Amino acid sequence: MSVNPSVYHYVRPEIIERLDRDDPFADVEKQATRYAYAEAILEVGAANPDVVVLDADVSKSIKTNLFGERFPERWFNFGVAEQNMMAAAAGMATTGLIPFASTYAVFATMRALDQVRNSIHYPRLNVKIAASHGGITPGPDGATHQGQEDLSIMRCIANSTVIVPADSVSCKKAIWAMAEYEGPAYISFTRDPVPLLYTEDYPFEIGRAVVIREGSDLTIVALRDLVAFSLAAAEALAKEGLSVRVIDCHTLKPLDEETILQAARETGAIVTAENNVIFGGLGSAVAELLVEHNPIPMERVGVRDQFAESGPYLEVIHKYGLDTPFIIEAARKVWVRKQAFFGGKHAVSSDHRSVSPTPSGA
Amino acid sequence: MSSDFKPMSVPELKEMAKIIRTDIIEMIHEAQSGHPGGSLSAADIVTALYFRMLRVDPENPGWPDRDRFILSKGHACPVWYAALAERGFFDKAHLRTLRKLGSILQGHADMKKTPGVDMTVGSLGQGICAGVGMALSGKLRGKDYHVWVVVGDGECQEGSVWEAAMAGNKWHLDNLTVIVDKNGIQNDWFVAEEMPVDPLNDKWRAFGWHVLEIDGHDMAQIVEALETALTIKGKPTCVIAHTVKGKGVSFMENVPAWHGKAPTTEQAEIALKEIKEAA
C-alpha cells in the first residue's frame, strides 16, 4: 500500500513518499533547528536594526557568531555568564531593543531561571530567549546538557510564550514571528539534525497549531523532533487501517485549544508526543485541557521520570521511549481504549464535520 | 526635564534626606511590613541622585534620553518610592498604600506599576545586570544618558554581581556607575561574619572598575563622588559608600533585626522625632 498524499498538508513530497518505508528519514535533507535560527536571525537583524543577539559562550555551537561577524556592534558575547546575559537582555529591552538571548536550554531555563522569571517575564519585557539543545536532542553530550525539562519550566511562568519548531522551515518563520511579537518569548531548538518536513507555505502563527495530516480515528499531537516520528507512526498505523490525524503543536503556550478540542471531538482519542519530560509539558497541557472540556482516552509519549544518557541521537531517543515504535504503541493503546470508552458510538461524518461523542458510561 | 526643577545644593540635599527618611518610617509603619534598615542607609545616596544628579522628567517618566536609576537591592524600595514621590513622579498619598492590595507600590519595585521605576527588582544581583544592558544600549545608540545602580554589600555575595562587573569592564561602560551601600548587615546577620565580601574596593578594582570610597552619609562627599564618576572615561565607576544600616534612627542603627521589620507606633514616633531633630 502506498502513501496517500492527499491527507497531508504542508509536508514536503520527498517526506510523504518515504513515510511508509522502514527508515523513512534515512536519506532526507536534515538540519538542526539551531542552525535555522542562526540563519533566520541574520535576515531578521538585517530587516530590523533594533534586533541584537546575546550569547553566552556557545555562539560557535549555535552559529550566532555569524550574526556577530555581520553585525558586530549588535552582538554581545557575555561569556559563561547566563544570569548576567538574561538580566542584561531585560535591561536592553527596557530601552526598546529586541534582544535574542542565546544559550542552551538547560542554562536558559535552569541556571538563569530566576532572571528569566523576575527580570524578563514578571515585567513582561520584550526579550526573546533562543535555546538550543532542547529535549534529549544533544544525544552525545549526556544528561547535563539535555534540556528535557525546558518546556515544562517555561510553560509554568506567567506571561510566557513557548515555541518549539519541528523543523527548519517552521523554525525560521517562528523567529520572524517572535521578532514581531511584543513580549517575552521562548523558543527551543534541536541540537541534532532533524528532517526538513515542510514546504515554504507552512503557515506559522504563534498559538495556532497546524494539522499536517488528516485523520478521523485518533489524533497525535506532537512537537519538536517527535512531529517527524508521528508522521511515520501515522503511516504505519494507516497500514493497520487506522486513520490518524497529526497536529504540529509548535506553540506549547498559548496552547491552541480550539484545534485540539476539535480533534478530540472529531477523532475521540489523543496521543501526545514530545521530546520533553512527561510532567508539565505538552502531555500535561493537553490532558489539562481535555479533563476540563472533553475527557476522552489519551496516552502520552515523553521522557519518563528519569535522566537520559550519552549516545547517538537516534539511539538515545529510542532507548528512552520517544521514537516511532513508541508512538505507534501509544496509538494502538488509545485506540483500544477509545472502543471501550465510546462503545462504538463515536463517529465522524465523511466531510469531517464534528459529531459530539457520547461516552458509553454517560 | 521640568523647567522648574533646580539641582539642589548640599545643604538642601541634607534637608531633603530628612524628608526622605521621614517618608520611609511613615510608610513602613503604615504598611507594618518592609525594610527600614537598608532604606535608611541608602537615603543620602538616593537623595543626592534624585535631587541633584539624575536627568529625569517626572512629567515624562518614559523619556528615552533620561538617566536610568536602578535600586538593585530592591527590598529597600521605600527609599526609592519616597524619592520618586518627593520628586513629583506620583502623589505622595500613594506612600501610605505601600505593600497593600491594589497599590502602585509593591513590596519590591515593579516598573510596570510605579512611574519612574526603570527596572523591576527584588531578586538580588539582577538590577545591576539590567543596568549593564541599559548602558550597552546607550552605547549602541549613541545616547548620552548615564545609568546609576545601587547595590548592597550583602548583595555582592550574588555571583551575578561579578558577572556584571566583568561585563562592565569588557565593554568599557563609563556610562554606568555602581554605588555599593556598604552598611555591613544583611538579612540574617553581619556581612563580615555571615559571608565576608571584603576587601570590596580591591575586588571592584581587580574587576577593572574605577573605585571611589566615601562616607555614604556625608552629602558633600556623596555629591563629589557622583560628579567624579561622570568624568571617568573608558571604564565604569564603583563608589563604595560606607553607610550605617538604619542611619538616623538610634535604635535601628547597626542592628540586624531592623533589616526587615516595621516599627510599632511608639517606635515610629521616636524615630520620626530623632530624624526631625537631627543636625
Side-chain angles (χ1 to χ4, degrees):
Chain A
M1 192 169 86
S2 63
V3 178
N4 172 13
S6 69
V7 297
Y8 289 93
H9 301 293
Y10 315 113
V11 180
R12 294 168 63 228
E14 298 88 326
I15 297 286
I16 295 172
E17 69 191 24
R18 287 169 171 82
L19 282 173
D20 63 345
R21 299 183 187 175
D22 283 344
D23 191 359
F25 307 116
D27 64 347
V28 299
E29 196 180 343
K30 299 185 190 72
Q31 186 185 39
T33 56
R34 60 181 159 148
Y35 297 146
Y37 159 58
E39 290 171 15
I41 199 65
L42 282 176
E43 297 170 16
V44 171
N48 188 341
D50 289 334
V51 168
V52 294
V53 172
L54 283 56
D55 273 293
D57 198 41
V58 287
S59 72
K60 285 184 183 167
S61 163
I62 301 176
K63 292 194 181 173
T64 33
N65 59 335
L66 299 176
F67 187 96
E69 287 169 19
R70 175 108 172 258
F71 307 106
E73 75 289 351
R74 284 195 271 148
W75 183 64
F76 303 92
N77 196 332
F78 281 78
V80 193
E82 296 83 3
Q83 300 173 64
N84 186 35
M85 175 177 73
M86 290 299 179
M92 288 176 163
T94 67
T95 70
L97 293 177
I98 305 173
F100 278 73
S102 317
T103 180
Y104 292 166
V106 285
F107 309 132
T109 67
M110 286 171 262
R111 168 68 69 126
L113 179 59
D114 188 352
Q115 284 77 7
V116 166
R117 177 189 187 270
N118 284 314
S119 287
I120 296 174
H121 285 80
Y122 173 38
R124 207 176 181 282
L125 291 173
N126 197 22
V127 174
K128 317 304 171 184
I129 302 169
S132 183
H133 294 45
I136 310 183
T137 62
D141 288 331
T144 59
H145 283 56
Q146 292 165 343
Q148 61 183 26
E149 308 91 345
D150 70 331
L151 305 183
S152 313
I153 292 167
M154 292 310 300
R155 188 178 154 247
C156 73
I157 296 174
N159 293 336
S160 72
T161 289
V162 185
I163 298 169
V164 204
D167 84 328
S168 284
V169 173
S170 54
C171 181
K172 287 180 180 175
K173 289 172 182 273
I175 298 302
W176 279 98
M178 286 172 74
E180 282 160 22
Y181 171 79
E182 179 71 30
Y186 176 85
I187 186 166
S188 185
F189 311 120
T190 66
R191 178 263 177 207
D192 293 300
V194 293
L196 256 65
L197 293 179
Y198 299 127
T199 49
E200 282 300 327
D201 61 344
Y202 179 89
F204 186 92
E205 189 185 332
I206 292 173
R208 294 290 293 183
V210 181
V211 176
I212 56 171
R213 190 188 195 281
E214 299 288 351
S216 54
D217 290 329
L218 63 93
T219 299
I220 302 171
V221 183
L223 51 71
R224 190 128 71 193
D225 48 336
L226 297 207
V227 173
F229 297 115
S230 297
L231 287 175
E235 212 48 56
L237 291 160
K239 290 180 187 168
E240 300 174 13
L242 287 177
S243 166
V244 177
R245 184 175 305 184
V246 178
I247 295 173
D248 176 355
C249 192
H250 57 66
T251 306
L252 174 58
K253 184 183 173 188
L255 190 69
D256 184 350
E257 300 187 349
E258 193 184 328
T259 297
I260 292 168
L261 287 174
Q262 186 181 352
R265 281 194 310 272
E266 293 178 355
T267 71
I270 285 186
V271 170
T272 56
E274 61 189 316
N275 184 341
N276 185 77
V277 286
I278 209 80
F279 312 111
L282 178 66
S284 299
V286 171
E288 289 159 15
L289 179 70
L290 294 183
V291 81
E292 287 180 345
H293 295 277
N294 191 359
I296 55 167
M298 180 186 161
E299 293 287 329
R300 294 177 297 154
V301 173
V303 182
R304 295 287 152 176
D305 191 10
Q306 62 192 332
F307 291 105
E309 65 185 272
S310 289
Y313 162 61
L314 292 174
E315 292 176 32
V316 174
I317 64 162
H318 180 68
K319 178 167 179 179
Y320 289 89
L322 302 179
D323 61 358
T324 307
F326 296 94
I327 300 170
I328 293 170
E329 189 185 311
R332 287 176 183 147
K333 205 168 154 188
V334 86
W335 171 249
V336 169
R337 286 177 57 199
K338 176 184 168 181
Q339 304 313 300
F341 187 75
F342 290 105
K345 289 181 193 164
H346 185 260
V348 177
S349 57
S350 55
D351 62 357
H352 287 278
R353 269 195 303 241
S354 167
V355 176
S356 291
T358 308
S360 56
Chain B
M1 198 168 194
S2 321
S3 52
D4 57 345
F5 180 78
K6 209 166 128 277
M8 287 185 176
S9 66
V10 168
E12 289 170 330
L13 289 169
K14 283 182 179 172
E15 284 308 304
M16 180 51 71
K18 288 170 76 167
I19 295 171
I20 298 294
R21 284 195 164 88
T22 301
D23 291 338
I24 289 168
I25 295 299
E26 285 179 347
M27 80 175 93
I28 295 175
H29 172 250
E30 173 69 27
Q32 276 303 295
S33 171
H35 297 78
S39 300
L40 292 169
S41 66
D44 298 302
I45 298 160
V46 173
T47 299
L49 283 165
Y50 270 96
F51 294 90
R52 184 173 175 116
M53 302 302 299
L54 289 179
R55 185 181 62 185
V56 291
D57 181 1
E59 301 296 316
N60 184 12
W63 179 34
D65 293 336
R66 72 192 183 280
D67 288 340
R68 266 67 173 180
F69 173 73
I70 303 169
L71 187 70
S72 195
K73 42 174 284 184
H75 54 275
C77 57
V79 68
W80 200 355
Y81 298 154
L84 288 169
E86 297 293 349
R87 190 69 173 75
F89 280 87
F90 51 82
D91 195 300
K92 273 190 73 175
H94 285 290
L95 297 181
R96 299 184 71 80
T97 68
L98 172 70
R99 290 183 170 236
K100 291 180 179 169
L101 201 59
S103 174
I104 65 165
L105 305 181
Q106 294 294 293
H108 294 79
D110 180 337
M111 64 185 291
K112 292 291 173 83
K113 288 196 161 79
T114 312
V117 166
D118 287 325
M119 185 64 209
T120 294
V121 289
S123 183
L124 294 173
Q126 298 190 25
I128 182 174
C129 303
V132 166
M134 292 176 190
L136 283 171
S137 180
K139 292 269 184 196
L140 174 64
R141 290 171 151 179
K143 299 273 191 184
D144 68 349
Y145 63 74
H146 199 82
V147 183
W148 302 89
V149 180
V150 168
V151 301
D153 54 347
E155 185 179 10
C156 289
Q157 293 161 349
E158 286 282 8
S160 58
V161 167
W162 303 103
E163 294 183 3
M166 276 185 275
N169 172 58
K170 168 180 174 175
W171 284 300
H172 312 291
L173 298 178
D174 49 18
N175 56 347
L176 171 66
T177 298
V178 167
I179 302 145
V180 182
D181 176 12
K182 193 172 188 300
N183 63 33
I185 293 173
Q186 56 193 110
N187 186 57
D188 277 359
W189 198 235
F190 295 93
V191 176
E193 293 176 37
E194 184 173 327
M195 182 53 68
V197 297
D198 275 330
L200 265 184
N201 48 5
D202 288 346
K203 282 195 174 81
W204 284 95
R205 206 171 282 123
F207 275 78
W209 290 52
H210 183 77
V211 175
L212 300 166
E213 241 180 312
I214 59 165
D215 175 346
H217 300 305
D218 181 325
M219 195 58 82
Q221 284 190 38
I222 294 170
V223 166
E224 189 189 350
L226 299 184
E227 286 176 350
T228 301
L230 292 178
T231 68
I232 304 299
K233 297 298 168 197
K235 56 164 72 173
T237 295
C238 175
V239 179
I240 312 271
H242 293 269
T243 57
V244 174
K245 192 128 175 175
K247 176 69 177 181
V249 178
S250 59
F251 58 90
M252 290 185 180
E253 288 188 0
N254 278 317
V255 178
W258 287 103
H259 170 88
K261 188 172 77 167
T264 64
T265 299
E266 192 185 0
Q267 288 168 330
E269 282 170 5
I270 297 168
L272 292 170
K273 189 162 177 282
E274 286 185 13
I275 291 166
K276 192 178 176 186
E277 291 171 359

